[in-house]
Amino acid sequence: IAGITQAPTSQILAAGRRMTLRCTQDMRHNAMYWYRQDLGLGLRLIHYSNTAGTTGKGEVPDGYSVSRANTDDFPLTLASAVPSQTSVYFCASSDGGGSTDTQYFGPGTRLTVL
Amino acid sequence: GQNIDQPTEMTATEGAIVQINCTYQTSGFNGLFWYQQHAGEAPTFLSYNVLDGLEEKGRFSSFLSRSKGYSYLLLKELQMKDSASYLCAFMDSNYQLIWGAGTKLIIKP
């Protein structure tokens, strides 16, 4: 089934630990995104990539890093997790075609940092 | 600056019609999106408006007025499965989506 997969589905992590959230899409989309969703707030963009080999910072990039070695994969790394990074993380992808660009979302990763 | 606002929660009755409003402010605008998100699931695309007017898609319609910075999502013949959060987002001048916090729609029998 075509789409976006994320792993793990959920994770409980001790503060200070390193964690990588995985995201893979098979739609050959150029652009990929990482968002966090917190209660009472809209989706907030962490990092994005318009095409393989390039990345950019979103609204809330601090404490997170990404890489885009190929078209399909866009991992998000928390170098040293803190409790404020407890959230639901969504990966999304789109054709990257400008204003009509519809984003398609993965199922999300629920992360708890203790 | 940029901002976007929508009601936190709305309640409606099965079979009825409900209108969810969204207002936004931005200096650069490249379209307005509506997504549906069921609890514990990913957002899914509903509609896109870039020109003023009404776009109809089955039971769902979306309206945009660029001069007023205003959009609404109209849901007709409500069904229990329409209970979800509805997210409004505009695309800014950098082609990034700026998201509202979502409107939780509760459908009662």
Side-chain angles (χ1 to χ4, degrees), chain A residues 21-78:
Chain A
L21 309 185
R22 299 185 298 279
C23 174
T24 300
Q25 55 103 358
D26 63 1
M27 297 178 283
R28 308 304 294 172
H29 281 169
N30 288 315
M32 296 186 75
Y33 313 85
W34 274 105
Y35 291 95
R36 60 178 290 172
Q37 187 175 42
D38 301 291
L39 198 63
L41 299 176
L43 288 161
R44 291 183 292 169
L45 183 65
I46 303 170
H47 285 286
Y48 65 92
S49 169
N50 288 328
T51 189
T54 69
T55 62
K57 293 182 179 180
E59 178 186 357
V60 288
D62 294 344
Y64 306 94
S65 63
V66 291
S67 61
R68 186 88 183 278
N70 57 60
T71 298
D72 298 345
D73 301 300
F74 191 44
L76 176 74
T77 298
L78 289 68

Side-chain angles (χ1 to χ4, degrees), chain B:
Chain B
Q2 298 177 320
N3 64 76
I4 184 167
D5 193 38
Q6 55 183 127
T8 302
E9 186 175 296
M10 299 181 71
T11 302
T13 303
E14 188 177 17
I17 299 173
V18 71
Q19 177 175 311
I20 302 173
N21 296 325
C22 173
T23 57
Y24 64 89
Q25 286 183 313
T26 179
S27 56
F29 178 80
N30 283 302
L32 193 291
F33 291 78
W34 284 95
Y35 279 73
Q36 181 189 58
Q37 186 178 25
H38 285 101
E41 298 183 8
T44 56
F45 171 76
L46 286 178
S47 70
Y48 169 73
N49 296 68
V50 67
L51 300 176
D52 290 351
L54 188 68
E55 294 278 344
E56 297 186 74
K57 198 183 290 185
R59 294 189 298 115
F60 292 9
S61 302
S62 56
F63 172 84
L64 176 67
S65 168
R66 290 173 295 170
S67 63
K68 295 182 179 178
Y70 169 67
S71 174
Y72 67 72
L73 181 69
L74 191 71
L75 291 74
K76 302 176 184 176
E77 302 169 14
L78 285 169
Q79 302 174 9
M80 297 304 292
K81 66 178 182 179
D82 297 329
S83 292
S85 288
Y86 292 85
L87 314 181
C88 171
F90 69 83
M91 184 170 278
D92 69 10
S93 55
N94 295 317
Y95 298 102
Q96 302 291 353
L97 286 178
I98 308 300
W99 296 82
T103 298
K104 182 178 181 180
L105 179 63
I106 300 168
I107 310 295
K108 295 187 173 179

